[in-house]
Amino acid sequence: MQTSALIAFAFVAFIGIATPGPTVLLAFSNGSRFGVRRALPGMAGAVLSDFVLIGAVAIGLGALLAASEFWFSVVKWIGVAYLAYLGVLMLRSGGALDSALSQAPAPTEGRRVFVKAFLVAVTNPKGYLFFTAFLPQFIDPAGPQFQQYAILAVVFAMLDLCIMFGYALLGSKATKVLTRAAARWLDRACGGVLLALAGSLAFYRRVPA
């Protein structure tokens, strides 16, 4: 893989990741609710999903979703339901943001944060279709396929981790300067955005091959 192709991939990937979506929104929300350190499991879950999605595209599952209306719909509606569920939880938090910052972390809290971020990413069919259309442009067909996909996955995951860390840090800083009432509204605003993302995913249509 040429260095110029890798740089171009990193640039486009950075723009795509930094544009607010479900995973970076969760990083921001987790940072505001729990602080950066306790938001790290969520970042790990999202990074793992990057490898799962890119691995799925490498073995052809992304192409399956692009070609099959049935499996595309299955993944899409699971993603819609889960995003809506998380959005409703945040809307009904009733100040959970403030209490979460003052409480010691529960033993299972890290696992819940990890699973939420992972599921949000792997149940979004846009991710599979994006990588299916995006990655082959940077793959040299004459070179070893697995090695090239692995390199792109590592670069994408590192960028994703850095950007999510920045969002989580921004969330944690915002909470420290907000009043109690404003903090509750921040929590609810994140829930509203997740519901809006669920709605946009519900209307998302597969482009016939």
Side-chain angles (χ1 to χ4, degrees), residues 49-187:
S49 75
D50 293 335
F51 287 104
V52 170
L53 265 64
I54 293 176
V57 169
I59 64 176
L61 292 182
L64 172 64
L65 289 183
S68 172
E69 181 68 35
F70 172 76
W71 288 112
F72 174 84
S73 297
V74 168
V75 175
K76 182 183 83 168
W77 288 110
I78 291 174
V80 169
Y82 194 65
L83 280 176
Y85 166 74
L86 294 180
V88 170
L89 283 184
M90 289 186 183
L91 284 175
R92 299 178 61 187
S93 65
L97 185 150
D98 292 303
S99 61
L101 289 173
S102 61
Q103 294 172 358
T108 59
E109 180 184 278
R111 285 200 298 273
R112 288 199 301 270
V113 172
F114 175 90
V115 170
K116 281 181 181 179
F118 177 77
L119 290 180
V120 161
V122 297
T123 58
N124 188 345
K126 288 184 179 181
Y128 296 96
L129 299 185
F130 169 76
F131 283 126
T132 298
F134 179 55
L135 294 181
Q137 301 178 46
F138 302 93
I139 297 293
D140 180 4
Q145 301 289 297
F146 176 80
Q147 181 180 350
Q148 293 182 79
Y149 274 108
I151 292 172
L152 295 181
V154 169
V155 171
F156 191 91
M158 291 176 62
L159 288 171
D160 199 10
L161 179 61
C162 292
I163 292 170
M164 285 188 295
F165 187 89
Y167 270 89
L169 182 62
L170 179 63
S172 68
K173 297 296 184 183
T175 303
K176 293 177 182 179
V177 300
L178 293 176
T179 64
R180 187 180 184 88
R184 285 197 298 270
W185 279 109
L186 174 62
D187 207 24

